[in-house]
Amino acid sequence: MSSHNDQLFKRAQVHIPGGVNSPVRAFRAVGGSPRFFTRGAGPRAWDADGQEYIDYVCSWGPLLHGHAHPAIIEAVCAVAAKGLSFGAPTELEIELAEQVCALVPSIEQVRLTCSGTEATMSAIRLARGFTGRTNIVKFDGCYHGHGDSLLVKAGSGALTFGQPDSGGVPADLAAHTLVLEYNQLDTLEALFARVGHEIAAVIVEPVAGNMNMVLPNPEFLRRLRELTTQHGALLIFDEVMTGFRVALGGAQSLYGIRPDLTTLGKVMGGGMPLAAFGGRRDIMQYLAPVGPVYQAGTLSGNPVAVTAGLVNLKLSMQAGLYQRLGEMTHAITEGIASIGRHHGIPLVACSLGGMFGLHFQEVLPTNLKEVMRSDTERFKTFFHGMLKAGVYWAPSAFEAGFVSSVHGSTELDQTLSAAETVLSHMR
Ligand code: HOZ
């Protein structure tokens, strides 16, 4: 007899392309039916068959304090009762803008959007408008949402499905996106020496999280800052994934780099559709209504989403939170990797704050080419074994994982014991 998940997946495919509203969710990279979730609480979530999972996807990052945190739910319900949307300003947006600027000092002004994609595509338009230049630089395997200019050699779902260059993106437009290898200095230097004066912006995930997780070489980030400054190009840090997740001040606070523009999302919205882009005041002043670069949104700054974000950030400011989160994430991921190696399976892990990568190979990759050496067949076996044991992992070898502040020692023990069972049978 097929499960409720199977039945729902079959039904979903009739009226929704692929049965999902975002491709990676379809489980195509791992096979089987996606889990249709019915509820979540803290570090756990339950599917349509009533199966319980420890959740390491955390809605792909936003749930820094787990599912349905009581403080967030209470605040969201209270504000929702007063009206869902006005299409006009509210005081809540000012509070969130003040909070974001205080926590991320490179952001002097900020504009709220509904998704990370909107934030990155708006940041690119703003950079082009500000500099009067057209070309942008991105890195192979970095994903910056699905805006046309950015779906070139993209990571995440585009990579999972082997289509890093999407159909429907005009070749003329893609030609203005120059792609380099992540963490590689010589090609970066050479490109800037050749056409630095034509580059509007370099956009980068300061910690890559859409080709699994890849740590930056600090020198790579430092040189990016120097070269962009020297050539009058803008440096955009895409911190949609890393913002308020690897540290309260984002990856830029850990690596000591001040980008010109930053994009944020995920944790900033606490699970609601909310994102932002912001940065230097002189650049942000190019935005309409004060400047010539247009950008808008009916639901931008939505009061319910902003409230969820405000409470999520407030919870994130508890003393010692990122220290504890980092230790827990490290214990879980290093624990799994060492179990793998103990059983003769090449497995390495990296983590920062509540974000992690697990690669089925001997050494930590530093760019996409190296990421591609991972054993995706082993990942599939691991994924399904863990799923069966009640541990929910991202259904792709090319996604990062996430731990919340409410994952505790019970989740650690249960996860490691599941990993022992799964990995010991995988040789
Ligand atoms: N591309 C997203 C993760 N990097 C997946 C979003 C989703 O399916 O919700």
Side-chain angles (χ1 to χ4, degrees), residues 314-369:
K314 192 166 167 209
L315 291 167
S316 308
M317 287 183 237
Q318 297 162 57
L321 184 123
Y322 287 89
Q323 168 86 23
R324 287 195 301 278
L325 178 65
E327 284 166 8
M328 180 54 72
T329 308
H330 187 263
I332 293 168
T333 52
E334 279 307 324
I336 297 174
S338 64
I339 291 170
R341 291 194 295 269
H342 175 76
H343 291 292
I345 296 165
L347 192 52
V348 282
C350 59
S351 64
L352 264 188
M355 174 175 167
F356 68 83
L358 201 63
H359 303 263
F360 279 87
Q361 56 172 295
E362 302 277 356
V363 285
L364 276 178
T366 63
N367 58 34
L368 180 62
K369 280 201 185 86

Side-chain angles (χ1 to χ4, degrees), residues 160-178:
T160 299
F161 300 115
Q163 294 173 333
D165 302 298
S166 169
V169 174
D172 292 354
L173 186 62
H176 294 294
T177 303
L178 314 174

Side-chain angles (χ1 to χ4, degrees), residues 163-331:
Q163 294 173 333
D165 302 298
S166 169
V169 174
D172 292 354
L173 186 62
H176 294 294
T177 303
L178 314 174
V179 183
L180 295 176
E181 198 77 73
Y182 195 74
N183 270 331
Q184 205 177 83
L185 280 168
D186 49 354
T187 46
L188 178 69
E189 303 277 356
L191 184 81
F192 267 92
R194 200 158 47 82
V195 291
H197 59 289
E198 292 171 6
I199 296 169
V202 176
I203 186 165
V204 64
E205 291 181 86
V207 173
N210 285 286
M211 45 173 157
N212 206 315
M213 177 173 161
V214 173
L215 289 167
N217 175 348
E219 178 59 12
F220 168 69
L221 295 181
R222 198 188 61 75
R223 211 41 205 137
L224 263 183
R225 179 62 288 181
E226 277 177 4
L227 285 168
T228 44
T229 305
Q230 277 164 21
H231 291 84
L234 301 187
L235 178 60
I236 306 173
F237 267 16
D238 181 348
E239 296 230 43
V240 169
M241 195 177 269
T242 51
F244 313 113
R245 176 151 281 282
V246 298
L248 192 53
Q252 56 194 270
S253 69
L254 295 177
Y255 291 94
I257 306 282
R258 194 179 171 100
D260 299 301
L261 292 174
T262 298
T263 57
L264 295 166
K266 298 197 188 269
V267 173
M268 200 192 81
M272 296 292 280
L274 184 69
F277 64 103
R280 270 168 46 191
R281 183 181 302 272
D282 59 330
I283 303 173
M284 294 302 285
Q285 289 287 308
Y286 261 66
L287 272 185
V290 275
V293 176
Y294 197 72
Q295 187 277 336
T298 298
L299 293 173
S300 294
N302 173 270
V304 185
V306 165
T307 298
L310 277 168
V311 182
N312 214 33
L313 291 187
K314 192 166 167 209
L315 291 167
S316 308
M317 287 183 237
Q318 297 162 57
L321 184 123
Y322 287 89
Q323 168 86 23
R324 287 195 301 278
L325 178 65
E327 284 166 8
M328 180 54 72
T329 308
H330 187 263

Side-chain angles (χ1 to χ4, degrees), residues 10 27 35 53 61 100 193 222 233 248 253 269 305 318 379 394 398:
K10 212 168 156 202
F27 269 37
R35 299 313 188 246
Y53 302 94
V100 167
R222 198 188 61 75
L248 192 53
S253 69
Q318 297 162 57
F379 171 77
F398 302 121

